[in-house]
Amino acid sequence: PGLYYGFIFLINAIVLALTWAQPRVRWAQGILLAVTALHLTLWTIYKPAPEMLPWALGLYFVFGLMHTLNALLWQRKHPEAPSAALGWMPVIALLLMLLPVLSQKQVPFIIWPAMLLVNAGIIGLALITRNIWPVILALATTLLAALLWMLGLRTDVSELLPFLFVVGGFAAVFAGAAFFLSRRFGFASTFSTTGEVSPLALLPIASAVLPFGLLMLATLHFPVADPSPIFGLGLLLIIFLLGLTKIMRTMTFVPVSLACITALQFCWHTHRFSIDTAVTPLSWYIGFYLLFTLFPLLFREAFEREVLPWLSAALAGVTQFVLIYITVRSAWPNDVMGLLPAAFIIAPLLTLLFLIKRHTIDNPAGLDQIAWLGGIALLFITLIFPIQFSRQWLTVAWALEGAALCWLFLRVPHSGLRLTGFGLLCVAFVRLVFNPAVFDSYERSGMAILNWHLYTYGLAAASCFAAARWLAPPRDRLGEINACAVLWSLGGILCFVLLNLEIADYFTPQGSRFIALEFSGSLARDMTYSIAWALFALALLIIGIAVKQRPVRFTALALLGVTLLKLFLHDLATLDSIFRVGALMVVAVIALLASFLYQRFLAKAE
């Protein structure tokens, strides 16, 4: 290869010299670059012997160095026509270094110092050209090489540490480059005046985020029972991003770092968690929670008028609570799991009190900070009760949290609280009303009336009623939606569904695992449905008269009409004489009472 490529590089030198002598044929440099790169590619593919790797790395380096120096000298001699490809010359050499990784079954460690040397040249050229995109592409190329190398390694934990050393080393190099380039060009240039993110801002994010992708793939490739090496490297990357947040005042780095470490934690926990070694991951989960919680407090002066650091501190409690809850439930099951969300109330509540004490009217971010931390504190408070139960606890938590956020909206008039609370209540309603699993997946408790249906649907309905009360006019408008009216309606429907479920559960035969919702075959059950519907309609009518709401009264009359139709078209054809008389008498009395109330309170004057 030395003699062969010595001749080829001699041709390169001659052509480059000709372009210097005749600048009008400068385009020949591009043709020469492409043909030589293609030649090196073909030679690498067809000569994949391991002993050729040192030759290949040396040839790539000489090739990249020759054309980089030529472009650099050309730019200095012809400043009026700078070379746009100057910063990209070493990137071509770096891309060529991917070829041995693809062709070799076992990649020698020597390739990584060679890549490090080329990356150093790319970073150095970025200082001259002020072009950050080659550095970002070099980072992606290097990590892609590490990924290809990892896929070729044996699934042995002993192979993990060299891989983490390579990934961590290159992440540190590019992280340092991001910090140095940011200081060199000025932190103010990170974001353009139009609000668009510049490549200078993408570099630190990419240098920390892309390694997280490799770490997640490493958890899938290696059977890592102890996550300490992987989480430790993730911790270093997070500290780098949080440090840049403090120095560069780029708040986006905080939620980005939280999202990265959360994805890594869930990836490892899903595929590698074992109850035999549960203490170690539990310690890491608690540690990451404390890190994000304490970060804005430690630098409270710098983040006093920012939202994202406090938002990330609040959301870190949610993400880490899910992991900690799953870990404790799997490794140490107990009957007092409600104490776990109670413990998670402490941090957001203390932080909230701290912010309220320092809150001033001229702080534009103060309301957002209080709203987020207050909402998360209420979330954990509402989780205490439902998490103690095994049926629909998450749905009940959504309903309670929705009502709590509507209550908080009275104290902290942040529109996001009202919108989120209303949305959670709607989701809980859909989850309970349009959920066929109630009949074929959730077993009966075996106790009539006082069962899981009562607390699940009852608490959800009570949450809707309470939220409707707190969102009374003039706080009821969500765009074109009357939130107060919607919530009253949702609560009423939940009560009606609960009524029918309790009747169905009561008349389900003993020994049945699931509820049987039927409207024929049982005389007592059919009569109970009719009487219960009529009583419910009467209660709705009384409420509609009391609150002076025509839609509620019309709903009551409609339900009473449906009850009468059921009585005449269904019950009279199936019930025996004595039950038929009883059903007719009860419904008739209810209808007469409803008529009396309507005439007494709503009749128009003559």
Side-chain angles (χ1 to χ4, degrees), residues 149-481:
W149 175 49
M150 181 196 72
L151 296 178
L153 294 175
R154 295 177 292 108
T155 57
D156 188 352
V157 180
S158 61
E159 302 281 358
L160 176 63
L161 290 180
F163 170 76
L164 294 180
F165 177 78
V166 170
V167 174
F170 279 105
V173 169
F174 282 99
F179 177 72
F180 181 75
L181 292 174
S182 299
R183 293 195 62 180
R184 177 69 174 78
F185 298 146
F187 296 138
S189 63
T190 300
F191 292 92
S192 64
T193 56
T194 60
E196 298 178 358
V197 182
S198 70
L200 191 57
L202 291 178
L203 181 57
I205 295 178
S207 61
V209 172
L210 293 181
F212 273 105
L214 285 180
L215 293 179
M216 285 187 281
L217 293 174
T219 61
L220 302 178
H221 186 76
F222 299 102
V224 187
D226 184 358
S228 296
I230 293 178
F231 286 175
L233 181 54
L235 176 62
L236 294 178
L237 295 173
I238 286 179
I239 292 175
F240 162 69
L241 279 177
L242 296 182
L244 284 183
T245 302
K246 174 64 172 61
I247 297 172
M248 298 176 61
R249 306 285 297 176
T250 306
M251 302 301 141
T252 314
F253 295 159
V254 186
V256 167
S257 60
L258 176 61
C260 289
I261 195 61
T262 301
L264 177 60
Q265 288 174 308
F266 274 98
C267 183
W268 179 87
H269 193 99
T270 303
H271 296 90
R272 303 301 178 191
F273 174 76
S274 173
I275 60 175
D276 297 331
T277 58
V279 176
T280 300
L282 181 63
S283 303
W284 279 103
Y285 300 155
I286 296 174
F288 283 121
Y289 175 49
L290 294 176
L291 173 64
F292 283 98
T293 300
L294 295 176
F295 175 66
L297 291 172
L298 293 176
F299 304 100
R300 53 187 177 275
E301 299 294 338
F303 301 141
E304 187 174 8
R305 296 180 176 271
E306 302 294 341
V307 177
L308 290 181
W310 305 98
L311 166 64
S312 301
L315 293 180
V318 179
T319 59
Q320 301 308 303
F321 170 78
V322 175
L323 290 165
I324 293 173
Y325 172 77
I326 296 173
T327 302
V328 173
R329 185 184 63 181
S330 302
W332 304 282
N334 58 82
D335 297 329
V336 289
M337 291 295 292
L339 294 177
L340 193 59
F344 271 79
I345 299 172
I346 300 174
L349 193 59
L350 292 178
T351 307
L352 179 63
L353 295 176
F354 171 80
L355 290 175
I356 292 175
K357 185 178 179 180
R358 298 173 60 91
H359 177 64
T360 56
I361 299 178
D362 61 339
N363 185 0
L367 203 59
D368 292 327
Q369 297 169 356
I370 295 173
W372 275 105
L373 285 162
I376 296 301
L378 287 175
L379 171 63
F380 290 123
I381 292 174
T382 56
L383 279 175
I384 295 175
F385 175 74
I387 210 170
Q388 287 292 116
F389 302 96
S390 59
R391 311 287 178 84
Q392 296 288 341
W393 66 269
L394 186 58
T395 307
V396 174
W398 290 343
L400 293 175
E401 172 69 4
L405 290 178
C406 294
W407 170 82
L408 184 61
F409 177 72
L410 298 178
R411 277 73 183 170
V412 183
H414 190 282
S415 59
L417 294 173
R418 179 177 54 181
L419 181 60
T420 306
F422 179 78
L424 285 173
L425 288 167
C426 291
V427 171
F429 171 81
V430 173
R431 181 75 175 82
L432 292 176
V433 175
F434 302 99
N435 184 14
V438 173
F439 305 103
D440 55 20
S441 296
Y442 298 107
E443 297 184 5
R444 300 171 59 218
S445 61
M447 181 180 296
I449 310 301
L450 301 177
N451 48 35
W452 70 270
H453 300 106
L454 180 62
Y455 79 75
T456 300
Y457 288 82
L459 286 175
S463 299
C464 289
F465 293 146
R469 181 69 180 84
W470 291 322
L471 295 184
R475 300 177 296 273
D476 59 330
R477 306 306 300 184
L478 284 174
E480 299 296 327
I481 301 175

Side-chain angles (χ1 to χ4, degrees), residues 519-533 562-577 579-584 587:
F519 292 94
S520 61
S522 174
L523 303 179
R525 181 176 57 197
D526 290 348
M527 187 178 66
T528 303
Y529 274 125
S530 299
I531 296 175
W533 289 7
V562 171
T563 304
L564 292 173
L565 289 175
K566 177 180 181 297
L567 181 65
F568 283 104
L569 299 180
H570 178 269
D571 295 350
L572 295 183
T574 58
L575 296 179
D576 289 340
S577 299
F579 294 106
R580 185 182 305 166
V581 173
L584 280 171
V587 175

Side-chain angles (χ1 to χ4, degrees), residues 53-86:
L53 181 60
W55 276 105
L57 296 177
L59 294 175
Y60 304 151
F61 183 79
V62 173
F63 164 71
L65 182 62
M66 175 185 293
H67 286 273
T68 300
L69 290 176
N70 174 72
L72 182 61
L73 295 175
W74 182 279
Q75 181 167 305
R76 292 199 171 185
K77 184 176 181 181
H78 303 281
E80 72 285 354
S83 175
L86 174 58

